[in-house]
Amino acid sequence: MTELLRLDNISVNIPLGGGFLKPKVWLQAVNDVSLTVLRGETLALVGESGSGKSTLGYVVAGLRRQSEGTVSFHGAPVDGEDGKRPVQVIFQDPFSALDPRMVVGEIVAEPLRLKGVPSEQRLARATEVLGQVGLPPEAARRYPHQFSGGQRQRIAIARALIAEPEMIVADEPLSALDVSIQSQVLNLLDDIKQEHGISYIFISHDLGVVRHLADRVAVLYLGRLMEVASRDDLFVTPSHPYTQALLAAVPRIGKGRRKKEQILKGEIPSPLSPPSGCVFHTRCPRAEDICRRERPALLPAPGRPTQLSACHFKD
Ligand SMILES: Nc1ncnc2c1ncn2[C@@H]1O[C@H](COP(=O)(O)OP(=O)(O)OP(=O)(O)O)[C@@H](O)[C@H]1O
Ligand code: SF4
Ligand SMILES: [Mg+2]
């Protein structure tokens, strides 16, 4: 498979406060992240709240500018304008993502209107993609409030598809939906991937969903990559203590929890003053002196060249 997206050393520093005689403070939302996504591949971004998943996704989509580093598609760096990026975004909340004053046909066709496609063609194409996401042609004439949460998320997916993106950044697309609806939308995303060969960056808290959908997984903590691995390597032989702790925190039906010391303890430190060395050291059961002093590089785990882990004592 060929490379679609490449991120080189992406950092996002957000200025906070500042003003007359008050220095600005900088929040490191994403710090030195390098990743690739192949064509047709699903890369999941996981990590606790505040780890920088959405920020990184928005940098890919051009909704937020990186402070440092380069975003490239097909090997060519892109800068600023979203227009050049073959990316669409699906957000968590299908209620606020759709303009309540527009009918669904117009909402879905919006990306085509921006490209100057004539209105009749737009409507025909909108009806077609609504069909692809399992909605009837009449849906085009109705307003968002006439649909359920799951149907609204389908509308948002249709709007993303109509632009024929090569990549969709899906930011927690299931978490605002009823559990009964989640698997339907998940299956739809799966079908779209099979049919259109679209790559996903799939942001989720739900490791069960990630295990179902992802080809590879990137684990973020305080804006840094802790581990990047294939789905199977990550779930079967997690290398990084943080990944191990995240997996251990997932209750397994009938099997109870894993070893006690692997369960995550304590609060995530403030991204305004991240810990020295390995940022995970304040919560890591294996931390030693070197962890407080030296930031570990993201390197292959022993004997597993494609499983990268940023730990001085990786498994
Ligand atoms: N516009 C902003 N202003 C100030 N801080 C921000 C802003 N956007 C993000 N942050 C901070 O950057 C860090 C990363 O946030 P981000 O939303 O990317 O995390 P996340 O992994 O998506 O979290 P969640 O799982 O809660 O959605 C957090 O500390 C967050 O508070
Ligand atoms: S580098 Fe040290 S603190 Fe960081 S994860 Fe590895 S053992 Fe834990
Ligand atoms: Mg988020």
Side-chain angles (χ1 to χ4, degrees):
M1 281 198 284
T2 51
E3 188 179 287
L4 172 62
L5 168 73
R6 178 178 195 90
L7 302 177
D8 287 300
N9 309 102
I10 297 291
S11 294
V12 178
N13 304 318
I14 300 174
L16 296 181
F20 185 65
L21 293 180
K22 260 205 227 149
K24 261 189 206 161
V25 285
W26 291 89
L27 183 146
Q28 301 182 353
V30 173
N31 189 284
D32 199 19
V33 166
S34 297
L35 276 175
T36 57
V37 181
L38 304 179
R39 286 187 68 135
E41 185 180 45
T42 298
L43 176 76
L45 296 182
V46 305
E48 288 163 288
S49 186
S51 56
K53 305 180 295 295
S54 296
T55 305
L56 190 61
Y58 298 163
V59 165
V60 169
L63 301 178
R64 182 180 260 293
R65 207 191 173 99
Q66 69 272 27
S67 314
E68 287 160 53
T70 316
V71 179
S72 308
F73 286 95
H74 299 295
V78 288
D79 194 25
E81 312 126 71
D82 343 344
K84 289 185 199 152
R85 301 173 193 228
V87 184
Q88 290 287 314
V89 186
I90 303 170
F91 296 95
Q92 171 174 350
D93 181 2
F95 294 90
S96 61
L98 308 178
D99 187 335
R101 295 159 304 180
M102 286 164 75
V103 293
V104 163
E106 285 173 22
I107 293 175
V108 169
E110 180 77 358
L112 299 185
R113 193 179 63 78
L114 298 175
K115 280 191 194 164
V117 176
S119 87
E120 257 173 46
Q121 280 179 32
R122 291 203 304 262
L123 186 64
R125 184 78 183 106
T127 311
E128 193 183 328
V129 284
L130 284 168
Q132 285 174 13
V133 301
L135 291 171
E138 311 83 83
R141 293 193 297 274
R142 288 155 61 191
Y143 287 90
H145 72 263
Q146 296 174 284
F147 294 89
S148 68
Q151 288 170 325
R152 289 188 211 204
Q153 200 55 301
R154 287 174 190 271
I155 295 166
I157 293 167
R159 179 177 57 186
L161 277 181
I162 206 167
E164 299 183 351
E166 292 179 84
M167 169 174 276
I168 290 179
V169 173
D171 190 358
E172 305 267 9
L174 308 177
S175 55
L177 306 179
D178 287 347
V179 176
S180 59
I181 305 295
Q182 285 183 358
S183 61
Q184 293 174 15
V185 174
L186 185 61
N187 289 340
L188 174 63
L189 292 171
D190 232 356
D191 292 347
I192 289 169
K193 177 178 156 174
Q194 306 303 336
E195 266 171 50
H196 299 263
I198 291 176
S199 308
Y200 287 113
I201 289 189
F202 190 86
I203 298 171
S204 182
H205 275 103
D206 186 334
L207 293 174
V209 169
V210 168
R211 190 165 194 172
H212 175 85
L213 196 80
D215 299 306
R216 272 189 314 137
V217 185
V219 182
L220 284 165
Y221 182 76
L222 278 175
R224 281 104 171 135
L225 280 179
M226 297 290 113
E227 180 159 0
V228 185
S230 71
R231 184 247 328 257
D232 289 347
D233 283 346
L234 191 110
F235 281 96
V236 178
T237 52
S239 161
H240 195 282
Y242 180 60
T243 314
Q244 292 169 0
L246 279 183
L247 294 182
V250 180
R252 292 174 306 162
I253 300 161
K255 290 189 180 168
R257 289 181 179 250
R258 288 164 213 224
K259 276 190 281 171
K260 211 173 173 185
E261 72 273 15
Q262 286 182 346
I263 292 176
L264 272 172
K265 288 191 286 264
E267 294 285 306
I268 307 177
S270 165
L272 289 171
S273 51
S276 60
C278 171
V279 280
F280 187 52
H281 83 244
T282 55
R283 297 169 81 196
C284 181
R286 287 199 224 159
E288 296 192 18
D289 270 350
I290 185 178
C291 305
R292 286 175 267 279
R293 288 195 314 272
E294 284 179 31
R295 178 171 177 170
L298 189 67
L299 293 170
R304 280 170 274 153
T306 59
Q307 181 168 8
L308 306 179
S309 175
C311 173
H312 295 301
F313 305 107
K314 54 182 149 291
D315 282 334

